[in-house]
Amino acid sequence: MNLQTINRRTLLALAGSAPLLGGCFYGQFFDIEWDEEVLLHDGRVIWVHIKRTFERLGGVRSRWEGVHRDTEISFDAGGKIGRFTRKFERYAIDLLHNKGDFWYLGIWVSTGSPPVKLVTREKSILLLKPEADLEAIATADLPPEIKTFNLMPLTPDSAGIAKFHNKRLSVAEKKFALAAIPARSW
């Protein structure tokens, strides 16, 4: 048997097994995204689109197992701001509230070092104002009526939120899902 025949047989064997292997290995990154109803402190409910990016580490072969890296949020802020969409690299978001023309986003470092440092331990809230860039403020500077986290957190990890992928979550569905994890509030 010559080398050319061996190479053809090897290629045919690999091509024949590719469909079987295709389901075993996944790319390095994956997204889990959904739309969720968010209850604001004043009783209003808005729809928010969340997309979380995860990274599979160490040859993980699980579809939904990974380390949280980035979060993208999109919602209609109304007024002069309009539709707000932003990807926060190496940050997670767990709070979104509105008072007057201002929107408050509670963010924290997810994993790794953010390429752009947006908040500090002392100033962990981003203030979104009309016609202005995001500004970091202290939790103590939040309006006193804003006391709750209201975005779906990791529950308890990427596999825990995989069931929400491409879904629309109502406030009631979120409350049911959150019943299994400890409540957080200030």
Side-chain angles (χ1 to χ4, degrees), residues 6 19 33 69 75 90-91 109 126 135 149:
I6 293 173
E33 57 186 304
R69 292 297 188 202
F75 64 96
R90 303 300 188 264
Y91 283 104
V109 173
L126 289 179
E135 172 189 342
F149 297 94

Side-chain angles (χ1 to χ4, degrees), residues 62 64 70-71 101 117 128 147 151 177:
S62 171
W64 298 115
D70 308 326
T71 304
D101 290 338
K117 190 172 183 176
L128 174 60
K147 299 181 187 304
L151 292 174

Side-chain angles (χ1 to χ4, degrees), residues 14-170:
L14 287 174
S17 64
L20 299 174
L21 295 174
C24 296
F25 299 100
Y26 298 98
Q28 182 178 1
F29 294 96
F30 66 95
D31 295 325
I32 299 175
E33 57 186 304
W34 64 86
D35 293 318
E36 69 178 82
E37 281 186 319
V38 175
L39 178 63
L40 303 177
H41 75 279
D42 59 7
R44 290 180 295 143
V45 174
I46 64 169
W47 281 100
V48 175
H49 183 78
I50 299 289
K51 179 166 77 171
R52 291 203 176 124
T53 300
F54 297 87
E55 182 177 8
R56 293 182 184 92
L57 300 175
V60 173
R61 292 179 179 95
S62 171
R63 172 69 174 106
W64 298 115
E65 186 180 337
V67 179
H68 181 240
R69 292 297 188 202
D70 308 326
T71 304
E72 181 178 291
I73 186 169
S74 182
F75 64 96
D76 184 359
K80 294 179 182 177
I81 298 172
R83 186 99 195 145
F84 177 79
T85 301
R86 174 124 183 216
K87 180 178 181 177
F88 294 93
E89 294 181 34
R90 303 300 188 264
Y91 283 104
I93 304 171
D94 55 12
L95 175 142
L96 176 67
H97 282 285
N98 168 248
K99 184 168 182 188
D101 290 338
F102 302 138
W103 286 87
Y104 301 88
L105 289 90
I107 72 170
W108 48 276
V109 173
S110 59
T111 53
S113 298
V116 176
K117 190 172 183 176
L118 298 172
V119 294
T120 64
R121 181 177 293 252
E122 297 78 29
K123 294 185 174 187
S124 63
I125 304 294
L126 289 179
L127 178 61
L128 174 60
K129 302 184 278 189
E131 302 172 8
D133 201 11
L134 294 167
E135 172 189 342
I137 64 169
T139 303
D141 294 333
L142 277 171
E145 58 272 22
I146 297 176
K147 299 181 187 304
T148 58
F149 297 94
N150 56 355
L151 292 174
M152 193 70 196
L154 292 173
T155 60
D157 53 22
S158 56
I161 62 168
K163 61 187 167 204
F164 306 128
H165 186 56
N166 291 328
K167 305 276 189 211
R168 290 176 61 89
L169 296 173
S170 68

